Amino acid sequence: GAVVSQHPSRVICKSGTSVKIECRSLDFQATTMFWYRQFPKKSLMLMATSNEGSKATYEQGVEKDKFLINHASLTLSTLTVTSAHPEDSSFYICSAFHGAGNTIYFGEGSWLTVV
Amino acid sequence: AQTVTQSQPEMSVQEAETVTLSCTYDTSESDYYLFWYKQPPSRQMILVIRQEAYKQQNATENRFSVNFQKAAKSFSLKISDSQLGDAAMYFCAYRSPLGGANSKLTFGKGITLSVRP
């Protein structure tokens, strides 16, 4: 079946550096992907909609200069957390829209720890 | 805008018993999809069940079934013969049947289900 892979699953970075998380659709083309952030025991908060070949659409309150999203190919979207701070530490999860099945598939998620 | 409400933050069920998780939603659309997702400690999002609003018949997947009340905008999940592996966080979610950017999911706050052996 359709699979979405997210990498890395865990990353630790130093405060002030940037870190990139990849979301890849393995066996289908995804023109639309979504990035979520999730705090412990909380719901998934949509950060942005990633559109292949165009700019991402950010949700209100999400800093687009801090959370850079690039969707340069039909199978890959990346989320770059720039100038990371400890408060950016969180679980980030992506999903991809599979048009043929009209279905959403989730990646495994990425734990980001900023020290 | 659509909203999804899960008012119970936690529930507990005895192993082998049945439990029902509640969800209500608000929308002005006539067609939409509703979902229940399971998120175990691994944090992987697992689709439990999907209901299309135009279908009157309640969806069923093995031990999982829903009670979809469109007029009341209610979408509860029933787990029968609860197993220890059912312990997880459960999210109710809504989305448009349209694709692309319109396919984004709106989630409820979630409910933590524990299963007592």
Side-chain angles (χ1 to χ4, degrees), chain A residues 1-15:
Chain A
V3 176
V4 173
S5 177
Q6 199 170 329
H7 178 81
S9 57
R10 290 183 179 273
V11 59
I12 300 173
C13 72
K14 291 186 177 180
S15 188

Side-chain angles (χ1 to χ4, degrees), chain A residues 32 34 36 38 40-44 46 59 91 93 97 102-104 106-108 111, chain B residues 33 37 39 43-45 50 89 91 95 97-101 103-105 107-109:
Chain A
T32 303
F34 302 95
Y36 295 86
Q38 186 181 27
K41 296 194 176 183
K42 298 295 184 183
S43 189
L44 280 70
L46 180 64
E59 295 298 302
F91 184 71
I93 189 166
F97 175 70
N102 195 3
T103 302
I104 298 287
F106 281 89
E108 306 96 329
W111 283 102
Chain B
Y33 296 159
Y37 282 91
Q39 189 181 45
R43 294 291 192 114
Q44 176 72 50
M45 293 292 284
R50 161 174 161 160
M89 199 158 185
F91 293 99
R95 64 161 272 223
L98 301 176
S103 64
K104 66 180 179 181
L105 288 160
F107 287 94
K109 289 186 176 181

Side-chain angles (χ1 to χ4, degrees), chain B residues 81-95:
Chain B
D81 185 26
S82 297
Q83 301 176 359
L84 295 178
D86 294 333
M89 199 158 185
Y90 287 81
F91 293 99
C92 180
Y94 168 106
R95 64 161 272 223

